[in-house]
Amino acid sequence: MERQGYIVHLMTGVAWGEYNDYLDGEVDGIPHWDEAQMDRHQQMILHGNKPVIPYMVPTISFGRYLAERIRIAVDAGVEAIHLEEPEFWVNGGYSEAFKREWQLYYKEFWIPPHASPDAQYRASKLKAYLYTRALDRLCAEMKDYALQRYGRVLRFYVPTHSLINYTQWRIVSPQSQLVELASIDGYIAQIWTGTSRTANVYEGVRAERTFETAYLEYGVMQELVRGTDRRMWFLHDPIEDNPNYTWADYKQNYLKTVVASLLHPGVAHYEVAPWPRRIFQGTYPTEEGSGKERIPADYATTLLQVMHTLGNLDQNVTEMDKNPLQVGVLIADSAMFQRMKLRLIQESMMEQILKGFRKRGIPSCSISLLFMVSRFHC
């Protein structure tokens, strides 16, 4: 592919994947099923069932295993690695591996996360730390290997959902801590219809608000890299993981996310089609519900035109027609940390405040508190 002029990147999961050789002990002779994320009922938190694919506790041992797998790609000439979705579920934190990590981090015996709000907060803080540690060690080691062995500067990127979505979906991830890692070169903001159509409450009414939510999601990711040398891509996806919507539904929600992203001119790079096959070859329910159909020809043409245009938006000069951004609302990574009892904190107050500004046409954004503190040494 390099001979044909392509720049070769590799994307792989960092929280889940077909790691059964590692889990079964085929790699080092030691079974590692105790490193699967576990809930309080001792049920593994799974990404898939056939084969069984659990979300992982990112232990030192698991990091070494990932490094050896990535080393193969480096040897094959890959120029950049994307370590996708470092995710630890809020209802996890009960596996033996996590209990050991707790003892090392807090220098005390493990406390069940559901025992108190403080225990839940500390468990979530540890979850974010573990993935920060795993990414830092893995990226630094592989960069050093590529440079020494091949004289090649390897790049690492982290595709991740937004802080707003992870809070909604009850997942803990490093988020703003990643900006502090010198070994990471950038991020993909994994925002699409599937995240932005998540129903939320505004003025007492629960509903899908795809445009407003997408605007907030892209905004917090833009601010994550503002003033840094990190690259951010905004993801769009004309389809989502739920295959039960019609093309008309996919289209209207896709266009809402695209428009929302364009209102954040600080980012001008895009991942336009993460799975082209399911867009242009997939079949989805007809409006009448009588069967399934492929993408309408006129909509396929529209998508290709949009994707082509998005590839040319990295311009030296951008102008805003209306008033410049005037309002920023601080949000901390700890928004993800208190989500065990969902009804206790069903909706983020920050999100409701920002939606109020957006509904009234006031440019606004959410800004990471941790990033602000580290950047300005507050």
Side-chain angles (χ1 to χ4, degrees):
M1 292 183 70
E2 285 184 274
R3 288 194 296 269
Q4 296 174 335
Y6 290 97
I7 299 173
V8 182
H9 289 207
L10 170 72
M11 181 179 291
T12 184
V14 71
W16 59 268
E18 293 188 14
Y19 306 139
N20 296 75
D21 57 342
Y22 174 75
L23 293 165
D24 291 335
E26 298 173 12
V27 173
D28 56 6
I30 303 171
H32 293 280
W33 285 100
D34 65 340
E35 297 175 31
Q37 293 182 30
M38 197 85 67
D39 67 18
R40 63 184 292 188
H41 305 294
Q42 292 303 295
Q43 298 296 312
M44 284 189 295
I45 301 173
L46 300 179
H47 187 273
N49 294 301
K50 295 180 180 180
V52 174
I53 300 176
Y55 284 86
M56 299 295 295
V57 177
T59 62
I60 297 294
S61 174
F62 179 62
R64 286 197 295 264
Y65 167 73
L66 287 180
E68 291 311 307
R69 290 176 62 127
I70 289 173
R71 196 183 308 273
I72 298 171
V74 176
D75 291 340
V78 166
E79 298 178 50
I81 309 286
H82 296 252
L83 298 174
E84 185 183 29
E85 297 179 347
E87 298 174 348
F88 209 127
W89 287 85
V90 165
N91 60 321
Y94 296 83
S95 65
E96 293 303 315
F98 187 78
K99 293 176 183 179
R100 294 192 295 269
E101 294 288 359
W102 179 293
Q103 189 171 356
L104 292 172
Y105 188 76
Y106 288 115
K107 300 177 177 61
E108 65 180 28
F109 290 113
W110 172 78
I111 300 173
H114 67 274
S116 68
D118 180 67
Q120 173 60 30
Y121 178 89
R122 296 172 74 197
S124 297
K125 181 180 178 181
L126 174 57
K127 293 170 184 178
Y129 162 76
L130 291 175
Y131 269 112
T132 303
R133 181 188 69 182
L135 289 168
D136 192 29
R137 290 171 60 97
L138 180 59
C139 298
E141 178 183 348
M142 289 297 97
K143 281 194 165 191
D144 180 69
Y145 173 75
L147 188 59
Q148 289 202 46
R149 183 72 179 271
Y150 301 105
R152 186 167 75 245
V153 177
L154 186 66
R155 301 186 303 281
F156 275 94
Y157 302 99
V158 178
T160 175
H161 295 206
S162 72
L163 173 55
I164 292 170
N165 177 254
Y166 276 146
T167 301
Q168 288 179 311
W169 285 10
R170 303 174 68 232
I171 296 172
V172 176
S173 192
Q175 289 295 301
S176 56
Q177 297 181 40
L178 298 177
V179 181
E180 296 299 304
L181 303 184
S183 56
I184 293 178
D185 299 281
Y187 319 89
I188 298 177
Q190 291 190 312
I191 298 158
W192 74 103
T193 301
T195 64
S196 299
R197 78 185 310 158
T198 301
N200 49 66
V201 175
Y202 177 70
E203 293 187 343
V205 178
R206 175 174 292 278
E208 291 183 8
R209 298 178 174 86
T210 302
F211 171 74
E212 294 91 334
T213 304
Y215 178 84
L216 300 182
E217 287 198 81
Y218 287 119
V220 73
M221 297 304 284
Q222 173 186 255
E223 298 309 311
L224 188 63
V225 298
R226 184 184 293 274
T228 75
D229 61 352
R230 308 295 173 86
R231 167 68 60 84
M232 177 69 75
W233 285 273
F234 281 166
L235 178 143
H236 303 128
D237 192 350
I239 299 295
E240 63 166 289
D241 297 340
N242 186 338
N244 298 319
Y245 296 106
T246 65
W247 279 109
D249 183 283
Y250 289 130
K251 179 179 180 179
Q252 68 169 342
N253 282 287
Y254 165 74
L255 294 176
K256 288 176 182 177
T257 62
V258 172
V259 172
S261 72
L262 294 176
L263 294 175
H264 299 288
V267 174
H269 297 89
Y270 304 90
E271 183 183 4
V272 297
W275 292 283
R277 183 175 295 133
R278 76 178 186 180
I279 301 169
F280 296 104
Q281 296 182 0
T283 58
Y284 301 94
T286 63
E287 292 293 327
E288 301 79 19
S290 58
K292 293 187 175 183
E293 61 181 349
R294 286 196 171 188
I295 185 171
D298 59 339
Y299 183 42
T301 300
T302 297
L303 284 182
L304 293 173
Q305 289 175 330
V306 170
M307 293 173 183
H308 179 75
T309 302
L310 290 170
N312 292 283
L313 287 186
D314 189 13
Q315 304 294 330
N316 294 326
V317 178
T318 59
E319 295 181 3
M320 301 293 288
D321 290 338
K322 301 296 182 182
N323 294 329
L325 182 66
Q326 296 177 343
V327 179
V329 178
L330 293 175
I331 179 173
D333 284 16
S334 56
M336 300 177 286
F337 293 2
Q338 295 286 16
R339 301 292 287 172
M340 177 69 82
K341 295 183 178 179
L342 188 58
R343 294 188 181 278
L344 182 63
I345 316 175
Q346 186 68 287
E347 301 298 337
S348 164
M349 183 62 69
M350 178 279 308
E351 192 173 352
Q352 296 223 32
I353 292 171
L354 280 167
K355 278 194 172 70
F357 289 129
R358 187 68 262 155
K359 290 284 190 181
R360 290 161 178 79
I362 302 173
S364 58
C365 69
S366 47
I367 303 171
S368 167
L369 178 60
L370 182 60
F371 179 51
M372 290 287 290
V373 170
S374 63
R375 183 178 177 188
F376 295 108
H377 306 289
C378 298

